[in-house]
Amino acid sequence: ARTPVRRVAYQIQIALVSQAHRAELLPVITAGLEDLARALPRFSAPIGEAETCLQSQNFYGAFRALAPVIRHEDTLFARFSPEQSL
């Protein structure tokens, strides 16, 4: 994953399917969500929901909660991509 939100979402997916990696990924995901919350305060509700889901080991819920944040990130990167300036 190349973007901050997608990176966290990917880590959540790995935690969902691989119980063996959960212990090492949980602090990384938590830190990533905290960084996203600081960078994107407008999306504090879905990021907070993802954090809540993560605390209860609901990885699918955490992933789904990030959907509006992923869409926003996609829009931003599309708007500022090099192809747009050609």
Side-chain angles (χ1 to χ4, degrees):
R2 294 183 186 177
T3 63
V5 181
R6 287 197 181 273
R7 189 171 304 115
V8 172
Y10 175 75
Q11 292 165 341
I12 291 170
Q13 287 177 311
I14 297 299
L16 172 66
V17 298
S18 176
Q19 189 171 358
H21 292 94
R22 286 181 187 166
E24 79 181 64
L25 282 174
L26 283 173
V28 174
I29 296 168
T30 300
L33 290 171
E34 290 169 356
D35 290 344
L36 292 176
R38 281 191 296 275
L40 301 166
R42 180 175 129 194
F43 291 91
S44 63
I47 294 168
E49 182 181 343
E51 290 174 322
T52 300
C53 288
L54 191 65
Q55 290 170 359
S56 63
Q57 304 258 324
N58 178 2
F59 300 103
Y60 181 72
F63 179 77
R64 284 193 41 102
L66 289 181
V69 189
I70 290 170
R71 283 192 299 273
H72 176 70
E73 183 182 63
D74 287 347
T75 300
L76 287 177
F77 278 96
R79 186 177 300 155
F80 297 106
S81 71
E83 293 87 29
Q84 295 288 36
S85 62
L86 295 176

XYZ file of all heavy atoms in Angstrom:
673
model
N 0.842 -1.181 0.000
C 0.000 0.000 0.000
C 0.887 1.244 0.000
O 1.794 1.350 0.812
C -0.911 -0.017 1.201
N 0.559 2.166 -0.864
C 1.424 3.332 -1.050
C 0.959 4.590 -0.330
O 1.694 5.563 -0.263
C 1.525 3.656 -2.534
C 2.215 2.607 -3.326
C 2.325 3.041 -4.748
N 2.873 1.954 -5.547
C 3.025 2.010 -6.834
N 2.672 3.088 -7.489
N 3.530 0.991 -7.481
N -0.256 4.599 0.139
C -0.776 5.808 0.774
C -1.063 5.528 2.253
O -1.260 4.378 2.638
C -2.063 6.275 0.067
O -3.065 5.264 0.205
C -1.818 6.561 -1.412
N -1.081 6.570 3.074
C -1.235 6.349 4.519
C -2.498 5.587 4.920
O -2.424 4.650 5.722
C -1.242 7.772 5.089
C -0.471 8.579 4.089
C -0.803 7.979 2.758
N -3.641 5.963 4.388
C -4.886 5.289 4.781
C -4.898 3.856 4.269
O -5.263 2.926 4.990
C -6.129 6.064 4.291
C -7.404 5.361 4.737
C -6.112 7.494 4.807
N -4.496 3.674 3.034
C -4.464 2.316 2.467
C -3.454 1.432 3.203
O -3.673 0.232 3.341
C -4.179 2.363 0.981
C -5.394 2.864 0.214
C -5.282 2.544 -1.248
N -6.432 3.043 -1.951
C -7.575 2.385 -2.100
N -7.719 1.191 -1.577
N -8.584 2.922 -2.758
N -2.375 2.018 3.686
C -1.392 1.244 4.443
C -2.019 0.704 5.731
O -1.882 -0.478 6.048
C -0.171 2.114 4.766
C 0.993 1.362 5.351
C 2.250 2.227 5.458
N 2.624 2.793 4.167
C 2.616 4.108 3.869
N 2.279 4.987 4.791
N 2.969 4.544 2.685
N -2.733 1.560 6.451
C -3.397 1.127 7.677
C -4.479 0.091 7.349
O -4.599 -0.931 8.029
C -3.992 2.328 8.448
C -4.854 1.872 9.614
C -2.881 3.241 8.944
N -5.242 0.343 6.285
C -6.296 -0.602 5.893
C -5.698 -1.963 5.543
O -6.249 -3.011 5.910
C -7.088 -0.045 4.714
N -4.568 -1.958 4.863
C -3.896 -3.219 4.506
C -3.449 -3.965 5.763
O -3.626 -5.175 5.884
C -2.707 -2.926 3.593
C -1.890 -4.136 3.260
C -2.355 -5.080 2.343
C -0.650 -4.352 3.855
C -1.608 -6.204 2.040
C 0.099 -5.469 3.555
C -0.380 -6.388 2.644
O 0.363 -7.505 2.350
N -2.899 -3.228 6.723
C -2.460 -3.858 7.966
C -3.654 -4.451 8.720
O -3.538 -5.530 9.317
C -1.721 -2.833 8.834
C -0.403 -2.412 8.233
C 0.162 -1.148 8.864
O -0.552 -0.379 9.496
N 1.458 -0.930 8.675
N -4.787 -3.769 8.674
C -5.997 -4.305 9.312
C -6.421 -5.593 8.617
O -6.800 -6.566 9.276
C -7.132 -3.255 9.297
C -6.793 -2.098 10.233
C -8.469 -3.890 9.686
C -7.718 -0.899 10.124
N -6.353 -5.625 7.293
C -6.705 -6.836 6.558
C -5.791 -7.998 6.924
O -6.250 -9.129 7.088
C -6.649 -6.588 5.057
C -7.780 -5.738 4.538
C -7.627 -5.465 3.064
O -6.563 -5.066 2.594
N -8.700 -5.678 2.321
N -4.506 -7.718 7.064
C -3.565 -8.773 7.457
C -3.927 -9.296 8.847
O -3.943 -10.506 9.086
C -2.102 -8.271 7.430
C -1.697 -7.878 6.011
C -1.148 -9.319 8.004
C -1.751 -9.000 4.997
N -4.238 -8.387 9.767
C -4.637 -8.805 11.119
C -5.924 -9.634 11.080
O -6.079 -10.575 11.855
C -4.815 -7.584 12.015
N -6.816 -9.306 10.160
C -8.065 -10.047 10.029
C -7.824 -11.497 9.632
O -8.401 -12.412 10.209
C -8.965 -9.360 8.991
C -10.242 -10.094 8.577
C -11.210 -10.185 9.750
C -10.895 -9.388 7.406
N -6.934 -11.703 8.683
C -6.749 -13.062 8.143
C -5.621 -13.839 8.802
O -5.514 -15.047 8.621
C -6.543 -13.043 6.609
C -7.755 -12.467 5.923
C -5.279 -12.307 6.219
N -4.757 -13.164 9.552
C -3.601 -13.845 10.127
C -3.500 -13.584 11.625
O -2.913 -12.586 12.055
C -2.318 -13.380 9.437
O -1.194 -13.975 10.045
N -4.047 -14.489 12.390
C -3.996 -14.346 13.846
C -2.543 -14.309 14.336
O -2.240 -13.651 15.332
C -4.757 -15.488 14.502
C -4.947 -15.303 15.970
C -5.892 -16.332 16.565
O -6.441 -17.172 15.859
N -6.085 -16.269 17.867
N -1.652 -14.976 13.631
C -0.248 -15.019 14.040
C 0.419 -13.641 14.003
O 1.369 -13.399 14.748
C 0.529 -15.974 13.128
N -0.093 -12.725 13.182
C 0.511 -11.402 13.050
C -0.187 -10.321 13.865
O 0.276 -9.185 13.919
C 0.527 -10.981 11.578
C 1.452 -11.790 10.751
N 1.036 -12.894 10.042
C 2.779 -11.680 10.545
C 2.071 -13.415 9.418
N 3.140 -12.706 9.712
N -1.276 -10.661 14.515
C -2.077 -9.647 15.204
C -1.310 -8.931 16.303
O -1.381 -7.705 16.411
C -3.349 -10.266 15.776
C -4.349 -10.569 14.706
C -5.614 -11.167 15.247
N -6.449 -11.576 14.123
C -7.490 -12.362 14.231
N -7.842 -12.826 15.413
N -8.176 -12.680 13.160
N -0.611 -9.660 17.118
C 0.085 -9.034 18.256
C 1.081 -7.986 17.798
O 1.177 -6.912 18.398
C 0.782 -10.096 19.097
N 1.803 -8.275 16.726
C 2.784 -7.292 16.247
C 2.125 -6.159 15.465
O 2.632 -5.044 15.435
C 3.878 -7.957 15.404
C 3.487 -8.278 13.987
C 4.571 -8.957 13.188
O 4.944 -10.077 13.546
O 5.028 -8.351 12.213
N 0.977 -6.422 14.835
C 0.322 -5.397 14.021
C -0.539 -4.427 14.831
O -0.685 -3.270 14.441
C -0.552 -6.043 12.940
C 0.190 -6.572 11.731
C -0.758 -7.315 10.799
C 0.889 -5.447 10.984
N -1.115 -4.879 15.936
C -2.027 -4.008 16.692
C -1.405 -2.667 17.082
O -2.017 -1.622 16.846
C -2.589 -4.738 17.908
C -3.696 -5.738 17.582
C -4.079 -6.538 18.821
C -4.905 -5.047 17.001
N -0.196 -2.630 17.639
C 0.372 -1.313 17.969
C 0.697 -0.479 16.730
O 0.581 0.746 16.756
C 1.634 -1.632 18.772
C 1.881 -3.083 18.637
C 0.628 -3.728 18.148
N 1.066 -1.137 15.649
C 1.364 -0.424 14.404
C 0.084 0.191 13.837
O 0.063 1.354 13.415
C 2.018 -1.381 13.374
C 2.209 -0.703 12.032
C 3.332 -1.924 13.907
N -0.992 -0.577 13.835
C -2.282 -0.088 13.338
C -2.791 1.048 14.221
O -3.249 2.083 13.719
C -3.317 -1.230 13.275
C -2.888 -2.285 12.258
C -4.705 -0.680 12.933
C -3.686 -3.588 12.331
N -2.680 0.864 15.528
C -3.134 1.897 16.464
C -2.377 3.203 16.232
O -2.990 4.276 16.167
C -2.959 1.423 17.920
O -3.740 0.238 18.106
C -3.406 2.480 18.908
N -1.073 3.120 16.075
C -0.271 4.319 15.810
C -0.670 4.949 14.471
O -0.759 6.172 14.354
C 1.213 3.974 15.818
N -0.923 4.116 13.483
C -1.341 4.626 12.182
C -2.671 5.345 12.254
O -2.858 6.410 11.649
N -3.623 4.790 13.002
C -4.916 5.442 13.168
C -4.777 6.762 13.917
O -5.444 7.746 13.579
C -5.895 4.514 13.895
C -6.379 3.305 13.097
C -7.168 2.354 13.992
C -7.215 3.734 11.895
N -3.903 6.806 14.913
C -3.663 8.057 15.645
C -3.080 9.116 14.714
O -3.484 10.286 14.759
C -2.741 7.808 16.830
C -3.400 7.010 17.938
C -2.421 6.537 19.003
O -1.193 6.759 18.861
O -2.887 5.919 19.976
N -2.155 8.713 13.852
C -1.576 9.649 12.877
C -2.649 10.157 11.915
O -2.697 11.348 11.594
C -0.455 8.980 12.077
C 0.784 8.720 12.907
O 0.923 9.299 14.009
O 1.634 7.915 12.448
N -3.499 9.255 11.451
C -4.574 9.656 10.540
C -5.532 10.629 11.221
O -5.980 11.601 10.602
C -5.349 8.435 10.043
C -4.600 7.481 9.115
C -5.480 6.277 8.784
C -4.166 8.196 7.841
N -5.848 10.373 12.483
C -6.765 11.254 13.218
C -6.187 12.663 13.341
O -6.921 13.652 13.222
C -7.074 10.670 14.597
N -4.880 12.767 13.545
C -4.237 14.084 13.630
C -4.199 14.764 12.262
O -4.397 15.979 12.156
C -2.821 13.953 14.182
C -2.757 13.800 15.683
C -1.340 13.948 16.210
N -0.449 12.907 15.723
C -0.317 11.706 16.270
N -1.035 11.383 17.319
N 0.525 10.824 15.764
N -3.947 13.994 11.220
C -3.828 14.569 9.882
C -5.179 14.888 9.250
O -5.275 15.802 8.429
C -3.063 13.610 8.974
N -6.208 14.137 9.628
C -7.529 14.287 9.013
C -8.606 14.458 10.083
O -9.472 13.591 10.253
C -7.841 13.057 8.147
C -6.872 12.763 7.009
C -7.093 11.367 6.457
C -7.021 13.816 5.921
N -8.583 15.564 10.829
C -9.541 15.733 11.919
C -10.995 15.698 11.451
O -11.882 15.327 12.221
C -9.174 17.084 12.538
C -8.357 17.781 11.511
C -7.693 16.710 10.691
N -11.221 16.037 10.213
C -12.583 15.999 9.661
C -13.149 14.571 9.665
O -14.358 14.376 9.660
C -12.538 16.566 8.247
C -13.840 16.604 7.540
C -13.676 17.289 6.204
N -14.242 16.426 5.195
C -14.057 16.549 3.924
N -13.261 17.485 3.463
N -14.621 15.747 3.080
N -12.273 13.597 9.676
C -12.674 12.190 9.645
C -12.479 11.511 10.992
O -12.273 10.300 11.066
C -11.906 11.455 8.540
C -12.334 11.882 7.174
C -11.703 12.923 6.525
C -13.401 11.266 6.539
C -12.113 13.342 5.271
C -13.822 11.673 5.293
C -13.183 12.716 4.650
N -12.556 12.287 12.060
C -12.344 11.716 13.390
C -13.387 10.652 13.737
O -13.072 9.685 14.429
C -12.315 12.809 14.449
O -13.564 13.476 14.504
N -14.628 10.803 13.255
C -15.672 9.814 13.585
C -15.362 8.440 12.990
O -15.334 7.449 13.727
C -17.051 10.306 13.148
N -15.120 8.325 11.677
C -14.828 6.988 11.159
C -13.495 6.427 11.663
O -13.381 5.220 11.901
C -14.828 7.152 9.637
C -14.728 8.595 9.378
C -15.258 9.297 10.592
N -12.521 7.282 11.879
C -11.241 6.805 12.412
C -11.430 6.329 13.851
O -10.903 5.288 14.248
C -10.153 7.892 12.297
C -9.838 8.162 10.809
C -8.888 7.475 13.048
C -9.002 9.398 10.555
N -12.212 7.069 14.627
C -12.525 6.646 15.991
C -13.291 5.336 16.013
O -13.056 4.478 16.873
N -14.205 5.173 15.059
C -14.943 3.910 14.962
C -13.989 2.759 14.648
O -14.096 1.674 15.219
C -16.016 4.004 13.882
C -16.852 2.758 13.753
C -17.902 2.855 12.659
O -18.214 3.965 12.197
O -18.412 1.791 12.261
N -13.036 3.007 13.757
C -12.045 1.977 13.434
C -11.235 1.613 14.680
O -10.963 0.437 14.928
C -11.125 2.458 12.310
N -10.858 2.617 15.476
C -10.111 2.354 16.709
C -10.939 1.521 17.685
O -10.424 0.586 18.295
C -9.689 3.677 17.367
C -8.618 4.416 16.599
C -8.312 5.793 17.171
O -9.252 6.486 17.616
O -7.130 6.166 17.161
N -12.219 1.850 17.818
C -13.103 1.109 18.705
C -13.240 -0.343 18.243
O -13.163 -1.271 19.059
C -14.487 1.784 18.778
O -14.316 3.111 19.289
C -15.444 1.013 19.664
N -13.430 -0.528 16.951
C -13.532 -1.888 16.405
C -12.236 -2.655 16.646
O -12.259 -3.840 16.998
C -13.839 -1.835 14.907
S -15.509 -1.304 14.509
N -11.118 -1.982 16.467
C -9.822 -2.621 16.656
C -9.658 -3.099 18.099
O -9.176 -4.205 18.339
C -8.718 -1.632 16.287
C -7.313 -2.172 16.156
C -7.229 -3.145 14.979
C -6.333 -1.035 15.971
N -10.089 -2.283 19.051
C -9.975 -2.649 20.469
C -10.778 -3.901 20.803
O -10.391 -4.662 21.687
C -10.417 -1.486 21.356
C -9.466 -0.328 21.323
C -10.029 0.911 22.004
O -11.152 0.923 22.495
N -9.236 1.972 22.020
N -11.878 -4.119 20.089
C -12.689 -5.313 20.339
C -12.360 -6.435 19.351
O -13.124 -7.392 19.232
C -14.178 -4.962 20.287
O -14.527 -4.511 19.000
N -11.234 -6.293 18.654
C -10.750 -7.303 17.700
C -11.725 -7.514 16.539
O -11.758 -8.577 15.933
C -10.469 -8.629 18.417
C -9.499 -8.517 19.572
C -8.111 -8.992 19.210
O -7.950 -9.928 18.454
N -7.104 -8.345 19.739
N -12.517 -6.495 16.229
C -13.418 -6.534 15.086
C -12.680 -5.909 13.898
O -12.884 -4.740 13.572
C -14.719 -5.784 15.402
C -15.670 -5.748 14.225
O -15.405 -6.298 13.158
N -16.796 -5.085 14.421
N -11.821 -6.683 13.287
C -10.963 -6.169 12.223
C -11.757 -5.819 10.966
O -11.449 -4.833 10.305
C -9.848 -7.170 11.914
C -8.988 -7.432 13.111
C -9.129 -8.592 13.844
C -8.064 -6.504 13.533
C -8.360 -8.829 14.970
C -7.289 -6.716 14.661
C -7.432 -7.884 15.380
N -12.770 -6.601 10.661
C -13.593 -6.290 9.503
C -14.321 -4.954 9.717
O -14.368 -4.115 8.818
C -14.600 -7.414 9.227
C -15.455 -7.130 8.020
C -14.914 -7.192 6.733
C -16.790 -6.777 8.158
C -15.695 -6.913 5.628
C -17.572 -6.499 7.050
C -17.014 -6.569 5.782
O -17.779 -6.282 4.683
N -14.842 -4.748 10.911
C -15.504 -3.482 11.222
C -14.544 -2.311 11.135
O -14.903 -1.234 10.652
N -13.311 -2.504 11.593
C -12.295 -1.452 11.513
C -11.995 -1.112 10.059
O -11.894 0.060 9.687
C -11.020 -1.885 12.233
N -11.883 -2.141 9.232
C -11.615 -1.923 7.812
C -12.772 -1.160 7.170
O -12.561 -0.179 6.453
C -11.389 -3.272 7.111
C -11.136 -3.142 5.651
C -9.903 -2.730 5.172
C -12.141 -3.432 4.736
C -9.672 -2.604 3.821
C -11.921 -3.307 3.375
C -10.676 -2.893 2.913
N -13.995 -1.579 7.445
C -15.177 -0.918 6.860
C -15.303 0.525 7.339
O -15.727 1.392 6.586
C -16.441 -1.689 7.187
C -16.571 -2.935 6.346
C -17.937 -3.556 6.418
N -19.015 -2.596 6.404
C -19.775 -2.310 5.347
N -19.562 -2.919 4.220
N -20.753 -1.438 5.436
N -14.933 0.787 8.573
C -15.033 2.146 9.110
C -14.135 3.111 8.356
O -14.434 4.308 8.270
C -14.685 2.152 10.601
N -13.055 2.604 7.790
C -12.126 3.468 7.056
C -12.577 3.774 5.625
O -11.937 4.576 4.945
C -10.728 2.846 7.027
C -9.975 2.836 8.353
C -8.604 2.203 8.167
C -9.836 4.244 8.916
N -13.662 3.176 5.173
C -14.107 3.358 3.779
C -14.235 4.833 3.378
O -13.702 5.230 2.329
C -15.396 2.597 3.524
N -14.896 5.698 4.163
C -14.988 7.100 3.732
C -13.640 7.810 3.727
O -13.406 8.719 2.930
C -15.956 7.740 4.733
C -16.011 6.821 5.892
C -15.664 5.454 5.388
N -12.742 7.380 4.578
C -11.412 7.987 4.639
C -10.602 7.567 3.400
O -9.893 8.378 2.803
C -10.684 7.604 5.942
C -9.408 8.408 6.105
C -11.591 7.794 7.152
N -10.750 6.314 3.000
C -10.080 5.821 1.793
C -10.605 6.585 0.574
O -9.818 7.011 -0.284
C -10.277 4.303 1.626
C -9.495 3.549 2.702
C -9.860 3.844 0.231
C -9.805 2.060 2.777
N -11.919 6.765 0.489
C -12.490 7.508 -0.646
C -11.939 8.935 -0.688
O -11.599 9.447 -1.752
C -14.011 7.523 -0.568
C -14.643 6.216 -0.998
C -16.142 6.345 -1.190
N -16.853 6.730 0.017
C -17.304 5.870 0.935
N -17.112 4.572 0.781
N -17.943 6.310 1.989
N -11.848 9.573 0.473
C -11.301 10.936 0.535
C -9.839 10.952 0.070
O -9.449 11.819 -0.716
C -11.423 11.485 1.956
C -10.810 12.823 2.145
N -11.340 13.973 1.590
C -9.696 13.212 2.813
C -10.584 15.006 1.918
N -9.580 14.577 2.662
N -9.069 10.008 0.548
C -7.670 9.937 0.149
C -7.543 9.712 -1.359
O -6.729 10.358 -2.019
C -6.971 8.811 0.917
C -5.487 8.711 0.623
C -4.860 7.556 1.363
O -5.244 6.391 1.103
O -3.963 7.813 2.191
N -8.370 8.824 -1.907
C -8.358 8.581 -3.354
C -8.657 9.860 -4.126
O -8.005 10.159 -5.134
C -9.377 7.510 -3.736
C -8.968 6.107 -3.325
O -7.787 5.905 -2.966
O -9.839 5.215 -3.358
N -9.633 10.624 -3.646
C -9.996 11.883 -4.300
C -8.837 12.865 -4.267
O -8.521 13.508 -5.274
C -11.236 12.507 -3.612
O -12.313 11.586 -3.712
C -11.631 13.813 -4.260
N -8.195 12.978 -3.107
C -7.060 13.893 -2.985
C -5.917 13.505 -3.914
O -5.358 14.354 -4.610
C -6.546 13.931 -1.543
C -7.404 14.652 -0.525
C -6.786 14.522 0.860
C -7.553 16.121 -0.902
N -5.567 12.236 -3.916
C -4.456 11.802 -4.756
C -4.795 11.912 -6.235
O -3.916 12.231 -7.048
C -4.000 10.390 -4.382
C -3.069 10.387 -3.210
C -3.538 10.164 -1.928
C -1.720 10.637 -3.370
C -2.684 10.177 -0.834
C -0.850 10.658 -2.292
C -1.331 10.427 -1.013
N -6.032 11.700 -6.598
C -6.438 11.856 -8.000
C -6.353 13.322 -8.410
O -5.926 13.641 -9.523
C -7.850 11.330 -8.203
N -6.746 14.199 -7.519
C -6.730 15.629 -7.810
C -5.306 16.158 -7.993
O -5.071 17.051 -8.811
C -7.410 16.390 -6.668
C -7.566 17.862 -6.936
C -8.291 18.573 -5.827
N -9.622 18.009 -5.654
C -10.314 18.063 -4.526
N -9.821 18.666 -3.475
N -11.510 17.523 -4.440
N -4.374 15.618 -7.252
C -3.018 16.134 -7.273
C -2.021 15.194 -7.951
O -0.817 15.338 -7.778
C -2.547 16.459 -5.854
C -3.380 17.534 -5.223
C -4.294 17.238 -4.230
C -3.269 18.851 -5.652
C -5.074 18.224 -3.651
C -4.043 19.845 -5.092
C -4.953 19.533 -4.083
N -2.512 14.247 -8.719
C -1.612 13.323 -9.400
C -0.926 14.021 -10.575
O -1.465 14.961 -11.139
C -2.381 12.085 -9.889
O -3.217 12.454 -10.958
N 0.249 13.557 -10.970
C 0.969 14.174 -12.084
C 0.166 14.151 -13.384
O 0.281 15.059 -14.199
C 2.237 13.331 -12.222
C 2.401 12.655 -10.916
C 1.024 12.514 -10.345
N -0.641 13.125 -13.600
C -1.425 13.036 -14.825
C -2.405 14.194 -14.943
O -2.752 14.612 -16.039
C -2.196 11.705 -14.892
C -1.312 10.486 -15.025
C -0.846 9.971 -13.658
O -1.565 10.148 -12.660
O 0.249 9.411 -13.612
N -2.886 14.716 -13.822
C -3.854 15.799 -13.831
C -3.234 17.105 -14.326
O -3.922 17.959 -14.818
C -4.441 16.028 -12.435
C -5.257 14.878 -11.930
C -6.583 14.782 -12.666
O -6.699 15.045 -13.847
N -7.595 14.368 -11.940
N -1.929 17.244 -14.182
C -1.278 18.509 -14.562
C -0.842 18.535 -16.016
O -0.330 19.520 -16.492
C -0.096 18.788 -13.643
O 0.864 17.766 -13.777
N -1.024 17.444 -16.732
C -0.617 17.411 -18.145
C -1.581 18.133 -19.026
O -2.690 18.294 -18.861
C -0.485 15.957 -18.617
C 0.630 15.171 -17.937
C 0.596 13.713 -18.422
C 1.970 15.777 -18.248
